[in-house]
Amino acid sequence: MIAIMDMDIAPAGVADFHRIVTDHPRYWGERDLRSLHLLAVVQEFGSTCLVARAEDGIRGYIFGFVTPDGTGYVHLIATRDDARGTGLGRRLYSAFAQAAERHGAWQLKAITSIENTGSIAFHRSLGFDTKIVDDYNGPGLDMAVFHRDLPLNVSE
């Protein structure tokens, strides 16, 4: 396990995006979620797409944006395999929440598959309400939908 000191959380750039996609297995293991990684999201919503950089590379990232109704939507969050359990996911969410609030967000939202029990537990630990929504992502594709009001005060 690595320490989370000497790390900077900052807006993601194009080079960061390409590094993340190249190192995809370090963040997602066997699951191939590269199709969910959209460079346009980083290009258009750069101030709410954040990376945690250290000397040894990108340890984690959170990509999201603020909707016109004031929802800070988290599209993806991941920590590198050697950074899990360090509190980095909480730090990334906190940084995203602050950025989203600066853009007028008053609530947060995220989704995941109902099989992703780790993500469900993580979001619940951050105070999100969780609802299983039938057919959310199409027929037979139920999703866990997370909501919570801002501010987000997390302890590491």
Side-chain angles (χ1 to χ4, degrees), residues 61-74:
Y61 61 95
I62 188 166
F63 292 170
F65 52 87
V66 176
T67 66
D69 73 350
T71 300
Y73 176 76
V74 173

Side-chain angles (χ1 to χ4, degrees), residues 71 107-110 127-131 145-149:
T71 300
Q107 67 177 346
L108 296 175
K109 181 178 181 179
F128 281 83
D129 293 325
T130 308
K131 185 187 310 183
V145 180
F146 309 110
H147 285 98
R148 72 153 290 144
D149 289 340

Side-chain angles (χ1 to χ4, degrees), residues 66-114:
V66 176
T67 66
D69 73 350
T71 300
Y73 176 76
V74 173
H75 179 61
L76 292 166
I77 180 171
T79 55
R80 203 172 62 193
D81 51 13
D82 62 347
R84 294 193 187 114
T86 64
L88 178 55
R90 290 175 153 325
R91 287 187 62 196
L92 285 164
Y93 241 109
S94 180
F96 173 82
Q98 291 171 20
E101 282 185 288
R102 287 192 298 273
H103 288 282
W106 61 273
Q107 67 177 346
L108 296 175
K109 181 178 181 179
I111 64 170
T112 195
S113 66
I114 59 174

Side-chain angles (χ1 to χ4, degrees), residues 10 36 40 42 46 48 60 68 80 98 104 109 119 122-123 131 151 155:
L36 297 178
V42 173
T48 53
R80 203 172 62 193
Q98 291 171 20
K109 181 178 181 179
S119 178
F122 173 68
H123 282 86
K131 185 187 310 183
S155 58

Side-chain angles (χ1 to χ4, degrees), residues 35-62:
S35 65
L36 297 178
H37 291 70
L38 306 172
L39 182 55
V41 172
V42 173
Q43 301 255 36
E44 297 300 325
F45 306 103
S47 63
T48 53
C49 293
L50 308 172
V51 293
R53 285 190 204 94
E55 283 186 23
D56 63 350
I58 297 171
R59 293 188 183 166
Y61 61 95
I62 188 166

